[in-house]
Amino acid sequence: MNARQLVVGVDVGGTKVLGGEVEADGAVLSRLRRETPHHSMAPSVVEDTIVDVVTELAAGRPVAAVGVGAAGFVDAVGELVRFSPHLSWRDEPLRQALADRLGVPVFIDNDANTTVWAEARFGAARRRQQVLCLTLGTGIGGALVINGRLYRGANGMAGEFGHMQVVPDGRRCECGNRGCWEQYASGARVVREARELLATGSPAAHALAEATQGDPARLSGPLVTEVARAGDRTATELLAQVGDWLGVGLAGLCAGFDPELVVIGGGLSDADDLLLEPARRALARTLTGRGFRPEPPIVRAELGTDAGFVGAAELARAMLESR
């Protein structure tokens, strides 16, 4: 294909749909954000949002291909979203539905897979062969590069680390189980804890109350991060608690996969070292064989929140070139 042909990537998460026009070298020429429709709404409403994002980015120009990173269990051939804990997809034929509406080739993969692929091609994991990636947002997405290739598993559903049970009979998760890791180490946990503090009227939540004008509904992960960056001790502690859970879980994954690098992406990664330093300390404290093995570096995704749609566009471009 012509390297100048228009390829659009779209990252569909639990709270936002983020799209961009992406060049062959990973450069983002334009980007667009929309709120994700509520999880109770029909799948067609999410499709409408994706189509609107692609159409607005195209601005009347022909589109060569569209790549979509979907927050859900995508099957091995990239046709169906089998299940999404945070959206209404259930055996949803998303690829064909979008291809029919857009009239262009569409590629679909899990959003964590598209994130790690962007980082492997253009970001923090360049020239790395064994990479573990987590995307921290509403939940936890996960992905693996093994021997330089995306590892999708037998059914396309590898990397769902957020739904490993870490607390027996713990908090109920949107997936239907209890005690999933993402209930303790995600943006949703940060917001939940902050809202509980506000509800108690605790003086420790003064800065959060001020930032939200006393309305817990205004709380979000980015807002907690902003308050923490301004020096608030409580907001900093909330992020550190999540970072500690993150590091403990990563110790288990590193015991299983022995990656040379851990990349943290997703919206919560904007907290940077407020989150990652506690995670590094917890990993060093709990990694099996500690002191007698290398600890993989934990780094923030270089492409930030663009990584999901950049990787989706790159995989769509590769799909076209393989035809």
Side-chain angles (χ1 to χ4, degrees):
M1 65 176 285
N2 185 327
R4 298 297 300 178
Q5 284 183 293
L6 173 58
V7 176
V8 173
V10 183
D11 180 16
V12 185
T15 58
K16 69 179 184 300
V17 176
L18 188 61
E21 177 186 352
V22 184
E23 293 206 304
D25 62 357
V28 177
L29 300 183
S30 60
R31 59 177 61 78
L32 189 64
R33 176 183 170 132
R34 293 283 184 270
E35 297 304 307
T36 304
H38 191 269
H39 61 80
S40 64
M41 293 186 177
S44 60
V45 181
V46 183
E47 291 170 20
D48 291 342
T49 305
I50 297 170
V51 170
D52 287 348
V53 166
V54 173
T55 301
E56 188 167 339
L57 286 166
R61 297 169 293 163
V63 177
V66 172
V68 177
F73 293 39
V74 179
D75 71 354
V77 294
E79 288 288 338
L80 303 177
V81 182
R82 293 290 189 188
F83 173 72
S84 175
H86 306 290
L87 294 165
S88 57
W89 289 323
R90 303 291 184 270
D91 283 330
E92 185 65 27
L94 185 62
R95 192 205 66 78
Q96 192 61 56
L98 291 175
D100 289 344
R101 294 185 62 176
L102 292 167
V104 301
V106 174
F107 175 89
I108 293 179
D109 207 336
N110 172 267
D111 58 343
N113 285 345
T114 63
T115 293
V116 75
W117 195 243
E119 292 296 326
R121 294 282 288 114
F122 309 116
R126 287 187 303 272
R127 296 179 293 280
R128 302 284 190 151
Q129 294 293 300
Q130 322 295 335
V131 182
L132 169 64
C133 176
L134 296 180
T135 56
L136 306 182
T138 307
I140 297 177
L144 292 162
V145 168
I146 297 178
N147 297 332
R149 291 174 169 267
L150 265 176
Y151 178 75
R152 295 186 173 91
N155 302 296
M157 301 175 191
E160 290 294 339
F161 306 127
H163 298 289
M164 300 184 304
Q165 187 187 59
V166 295
V167 179
D169 297 320
R171 294 192 65 92
R172 177 72 71 182
C173 181
E174 287 87 345
C175 76
N177 291 328
R178 286 187 178 276
C180 291
W181 189 28
E182 70 174 40
Q183 291 301 309
Y184 303 90
S186 69
R189 187 260 172 86
V190 172
V191 172
R192 183 179 70 236
E193 295 280 340
R195 284 179 176 163
E196 288 178 3
L197 271 172
L198 281 182
T200 66
S202 169
H206 171 74
L208 291 168
E210 197 171 72
T212 59
Q213 299 179 347
D215 181 4
R218 295 190 178 191
L219 268 171
S220 65
L223 182 60
V224 175
T225 297
E226 181 182 324
V227 173
R229 282 180 175 156
D232 180 64
R233 181 174 178 176
T234 298
T236 301
E237 287 176 353
L238 289 174
L239 291 171
Q241 289 165 9
V242 169
D244 191 70
W245 271 104
L246 178 61
V248 171
L250 280 171
L253 293 176
C254 290
F257 294 105
D258 190 25
E260 61 180 304
L261 182 72
V262 175
V263 178
I264 305 296
L268 194 57
S269 70
D270 286 346
D272 205 356
D273 282 347
L274 291 170
L275 176 77
L276 299 189
E277 274 303 315
R280 292 176 185 122
R281 290 194 295 269
L283 174 66
R285 186 179 72 244
T286 57
L287 180 63
T288 183
R290 54 193 175 277
F292 299 95
R293 61 180 293 172
E295 291 174 18
I298 301 175
V299 301
R300 184 182 175 193
E302 284 185 10
L303 302 180
T305 52
D306 286 353
F309 74 75
V310 169
E314 174 65 11
L315 288 165
R317 195 182 302 275
M319 172 194 68
L320 280 185
E321 291 174 347
S322 67
R323 289 186 169 184

